[in-house]
Amino acid sequence: MIITDAVGLADIALDGADIYWLEGRPKEGGRVVLVRPDASGAGIDLTPAPFNIRTRVHEYGGGALLINNGVIYFSNFADQRLYRQVEGGAPEALTPAIALRYADAVYDQHRNRLITVREDHTAGGHEPVNTIVSLSLSGENGGEVLVSGKDFYACPRLSPDSTKLAWLEWSHPNMPWDGCELRLASVLPDGTLGEAELVAGGLRESIYQPTWSPDGLLYFVSDRTGWWNLYRITDGQVESLYPMEAEFGQPMWVFGTQTYGFTLDGNIVCAFTQNGFWNLGILDLQSKVLSRINQPYNYIGNLKVSGNRVVMIAGGSNKTMAVVEYDLSSGEMRVHKLASTLEVDSGYISTPQAIEFPTNGGLDAYALYYPPANKDYLAPEGDLPPLVVRSHGGPTSASPALLSLSFAYWTSRGFGILDVNYGGSTGYGREYRERLNGNWGIVDVDDCVNGALHLAKQGLADENRLAIQGGSAGGYTTLCALTFRDTFKAGASYFGVSDLEALARDTHKFESRYLDNLVGAYPERLDLYRARSPIYHTEGLRCPIILFQGLEDKVVPPNQAEMMFEAVKQKGIPVAYIPFEGEQHGFRRADNIKRALEAEFYFYSKVFGFEAADQIEPFEIANL
């Protein structure tokens, strides 16, 4: 039921009166399709097969779509070329068939060109070169470089009169949430740029979503106070708009994310998060008063504003993720597209509870607890439920309070879920985010362990049936918890890191220096990398583990899981390894999503000694 007609929703675009969005479809092998509603409200597919709208800039992509006056520009996943398409027509390539990738484009109407981030892989054997380029629309070309010299670029944004360009830039070892710079330059008559001016940001200040207002002022989000808040440039000075212990920004893992936009009367509609829950508000730019909008969603993303319309991707603890339109004039809310049309009786759905619990160093950490929920069954008297602790990816990320059918799979079968926003997670200010600096593999593990024990002490979980699982960075936390602690009795790692040194040597450019801040400089602190790599300390592993891996993964290569599998198998501990052909960093095919979910449950049924309610295809578990 989880994968039936389910789609991923991303990248809302507004073009005049038209609304567009992208749908990632597991039933089509993860193909991403552009959709627009027709007069009746039904979605029309605009992307002909086999085109797949995804860019691989920074590997994580985002910002693969631009629509201007009905003309669609998009990056195609298979060849990474930019295409132009008029609705109903065939896409035509704008860029050559060479190793160039593009993202985050804007249209320059005065010069009939795109200004876009380009990632150049043509040199081979070296780090790709990132620049901002001008791409003529008069013929196939790779683009002319406008801005270069830094390791990374994002958010090229033209002023309304096309006379100024703003952008973000940063270099190794920083990630954009560590610190980046907002630059501004004049656009000269020949289309090149004048001297760039530093507007805001630096090594220890993170800037997010520079945006021009309709009247030509530059707005942005900065965490200079310790919280991502709203600012603008007024008469050459940075002006704070609404200081608040809340986050109006988020980590820029992908291009094109937005949390605010301008209304018809010149105010700002904004999304912000506090204590793990997202809110929607209107900021009056004259009085500088923020008014909250009463709405039923806990998560708000990809917010776009046009006139008096607000369109966003939203979800809640009892609301399926959806493309939602909110009318500022009438207060009416309309759902354009649900991520899933599946209707599940609320008696099978667990409502998340935000919890705060004590952790090491006299500090507190945060999590969302999903208790077991199934209206048809009661546990035997005195029986405590098993618990799966989930460590999210990133690790600079966060788990929102959302209706999760994947979680309901577990909670309807008698498991509790603890989704931990460990130290290092976003949404709680910069100080909380920086707890992980120099301490990855320690603070995150402490918080997952302490969260599980906190529930066990409250009588909400069976201390002898605690499991931990996570993907990517969450997979690393999982492997560390199983290797260096003895709290958990089983675990599941999805494309997780087992060897930090291998990750530092063999990953893509965007994250190649990420570990400098999280662990230490490499190779200077090789001692730390080896001390915190589970692959070197398998003597500490004493409980069963299952590993899942996409064989096309360029972020965490398959050899990480393969090495861990062989090492654990040699120890005689129950272990299973399930690889997936054609999958990358995260699974997109419906059959693979289903297989992984069932396989993890089947694995725990064998480890914890219960009979699965479903008929699940068995697989080999070594040493069991």
Side-chain angles (χ1 to χ4, degrees), residues 300-581:
I300 297 168
N302 213 258
L303 183 148
K304 301 292 175 68
V305 183
S306 178
N308 283 318
R309 297 185 309 157
V310 181
V311 186
M312 55 195 173
I313 296 173
S317 57
N318 60 353
K319 295 282 186 181
T320 301
M321 289 286 277
V323 176
V324 178
E325 180 178 357
Y326 177 73
D327 189 310
L328 291 168
S329 301
S330 66
E332 188 176 327
M333 195 163 278
R334 177 184 179 187
V335 174
H336 286 282
K337 176 68 179 184
L338 289 167
S340 172
T341 56
L342 179 68
E343 293 185 9
V344 180
D345 188 308
S346 61
Y348 303 113
I349 300 297
S350 178
T351 300
Q353 304 167 10
I355 67 169
E356 186 175 344
F357 56 89
T359 190
N360 292 37
L363 301 171
D364 289 331
Y366 305 94
L368 296 164
Y369 171 54
Y370 297 75
N374 189 318
K375 67 177 187 177
D376 299 328
Y377 293 92
L378 288 175
E381 187 175 350
D383 187 55
L384 296 177
L387 178 75
V388 173
V389 172
R390 179 181 178 271
S391 53
H392 64 70
T396 310
S397 180
S399 291
L402 286 173
L403 173 63
S404 170
L405 296 181
S406 294
F407 283 5
Y409 176 90
W410 295 94
T411 56
S412 66
R413 287 161 172 78
F415 276 74
I417 295 277
L418 185 68
D419 202 2
V420 183
N421 279 321
Y422 47 78
S425 301
T426 55
Y428 305 91
R430 184 171 184 123
E431 183 178 346
Y432 192 81
R433 193 165 82 235
E434 290 185 339
R435 281 190 192 179
L436 210 57
N437 284 1
N439 291 300
W440 193 29
I442 298 174
V443 164
D444 48 327
V445 175
D446 287 341
D447 292 352
C448 287
V449 166
N450 288 323
L453 294 178
H454 176 73
L455 291 185
K457 288 175 184 174
Q458 291 188 319
L460 298 174
D462 183 347
E463 193 168 0
N464 294 313
R465 292 188 293 175
L466 301 177
I468 183 169
Q469 66 109 281
S472 190
Y476 169 68
T477 299
T478 294
L479 293 173
C480 284
L482 297 174
T483 302
F484 301 118
R485 312 295 170 84
D486 57 7
T487 303
F488 299 102
K489 310 307 179 186
S493 170
Y494 288 75
F495 36 91
V497 179
S498 61
D499 184 349
L500 290 177
E501 184 185 3
L503 182 66
R505 291 195 318 261
D506 185 23
T507 193
H508 58 113
K509 179 183 178 182
F510 182 60
E511 290 187 86
S512 62
R513 299 288 300 278
Y514 188 20
L515 304 192
D516 281 31
N517 284 331
L518 293 177
V519 181
Y522 179 83
E524 293 84 351
R525 292 310 312 269
L526 181 58
D527 59 323
L528 287 180
Y529 281 74
R530 294 196 170 173
R532 296 189 201 164
S533 293
I535 193 65
Y536 293 113
H537 302 281
T538 53
E539 72 281 354
L541 259 170
R542 289 182 292 275
C543 67
I545 183 169
I546 185 169
L547 303 129
F548 299 91
Q549 180 69 44
L551 294 180
E552 304 295 322
D553 195 336
K554 303 299 183 186
V555 178
V556 179
N559 64 341
Q560 295 262 331
E562 292 160 1
M563 289 189 300
M564 199 69 190
F565 173 68
E566 291 299 329
V568 178
K569 186 167 71 170
Q570 292 301 316
K571 279 184 60 70
I573 295 171
V575 61
Y577 173 50
I578 300 182
F580 293 111
E581 292 279 357

Side-chain angles (χ1 to χ4, degrees), residues 44 57 79 134 138 148 151 158 164 184 228 251 269 272 277 302 331 344 351 357 402 423 483 492 510 516 527 534 579:
I44 303 172
V57 178
D79 56 15
S134 165
S138 59
S148 63
D151 290 322
L158 268 175
K164 295 179 180 178
L184 179 64
W228 269 316
V269 175
F272 58 95
F277 292 85
N302 213 258
V344 180
T351 300
F357 56 89
L402 286 173
T483 302
F510 182 60
D516 281 31
D527 59 323

Side-chain angles (χ1 to χ4, degrees), residues 186-201:
S186 296
V187 182
L188 302 178
D190 64 356
T192 61
L193 301 182
E195 186 175 349
E197 170 192 0
L198 176 63
V199 173

Side-chain angles (χ1 to χ4, degrees), residues 45-96:
D45 287 3
L46 302 179
T47 311
F51 286 97
N52 181 2
I53 301 180
R54 278 178 62 199
T55 177
R56 290 187 61 184
V57 178
H58 294 179
E59 294 299 334
Y60 294 105
L65 172 72
L66 171 67
I67 304 175
N68 183 74
N69 289 328
V71 181
I72 302 161
Y73 304 91
F74 68 89
S75 179
N76 181 48
F77 181 69
D79 56 15
Q80 288 300 292
R81 300 171 77 182
L82 271 179
Y83 286 79
R84 173 173 51 198
Q85 180 189 2
V86 177
E87 186 173 331
E92 57 175 323
L94 294 173
T95 58

